[in-house]
Amino acid sequence: KLEEFLNFNQVKTSLKEAILLDYYTAGFWWAKERNFSVIQLSGFMDLLNFLLENLSDKHMTLGDNLKELGKAMAGIGEPDSKRSGNLNFFSIEQAKAIIDYLNISLFKQYKLYEYLFHSPREVVISNE
């Protein structure tokens, strides 16, 4: 279903689509395992998409994308915070878990995602 929602038609032959499907599927199941509410799940998926778009479309460096994550998560746990991002439906514990997850899922592999989006790739076909 996620494959259809993302409008991926070539998951079996496109390395890029397969990687992105894995990124979103892993994030979705991670959030489901933590019993996120529907609103939290939606916000988390939006955050995954936001950070990936920063990398793919805006060519943000890892440092700049981390700053954007900080802005998005600002004010979590502070009632009526003026500096709040739009993710104030998460608890502080959930925010920490999200940051830990992003560290191992996106940020640790950032160079690979940069390569996926910004490096020309040659198609190699061989019998091996």
Side-chain angles (χ1 to χ4, degrees):
K1 300 254 180 210
L2 193 54
E3 185 177 330
E4 292 173 17
F5 177 78
L6 295 169
N7 198 26
F8 288 168
N9 306 337
Q10 302 171 336
V11 171
K12 293 184 179 179
T13 58
S14 169
L15 183 60
K16 185 176 183 178
E17 283 189 9
I19 289 169
L20 294 177
L21 181 61
D22 181 67
Y23 173 77
Y24 288 114
T25 302
F28 177 83
W29 285 111
W30 179 87
K32 287 287 285 179
E33 288 173 353
R34 273 137 196 88
N35 297 316
F36 282 8
S37 69
V38 173
I39 292 171
Q40 290 172 327
L41 184 59
S42 177
F44 177 69
M45 296 303 290
D46 283 343
L47 183 62
L48 290 181
N49 189 58
F50 170 71
L51 296 171
L52 199 63
E53 282 183 349
N54 286 346
L55 188 160
S56 65
D57 299 343
K58 298 178 183 175
H59 296 253
M60 278 192 187
T61 65
L62 175 58
D64 289 341
N65 218 352
L66 285 168
K67 287 177 189 173
E68 289 298 311
L69 173 61
K71 289 177 191 175
M73 300 194 90
I76 289 177
E78 298 175 17
D80 302 324
S81 174
K82 291 180 182 178
R83 62 186 196 110
S84 178
N86 292 325
L87 300 175
N88 55 358
F89 40 77
F90 289 116
S91 69
I92 293 172
E93 294 76 24
Q94 289 170 323
K96 288 177 184 178
I98 289 168
I99 291 168
D100 288 343
Y101 176 78
L102 290 170
N103 184 44
I104 61 167
S105 65
L106 176 63
F107 297 137
K108 192 176 251 185
Q109 311 298 328
Y110 207 79
K111 290 286 182 196
L112 294 173
Y113 284 102
E114 285 178 324
Y115 181 80
L116 176 69
F117 290 113
H118 305 301
S119 295
R121 291 171 296 286
E122 294 181 22
V123 176
V124 178
I125 300 174
S126 88
N127 291 332
E128 294 181 18

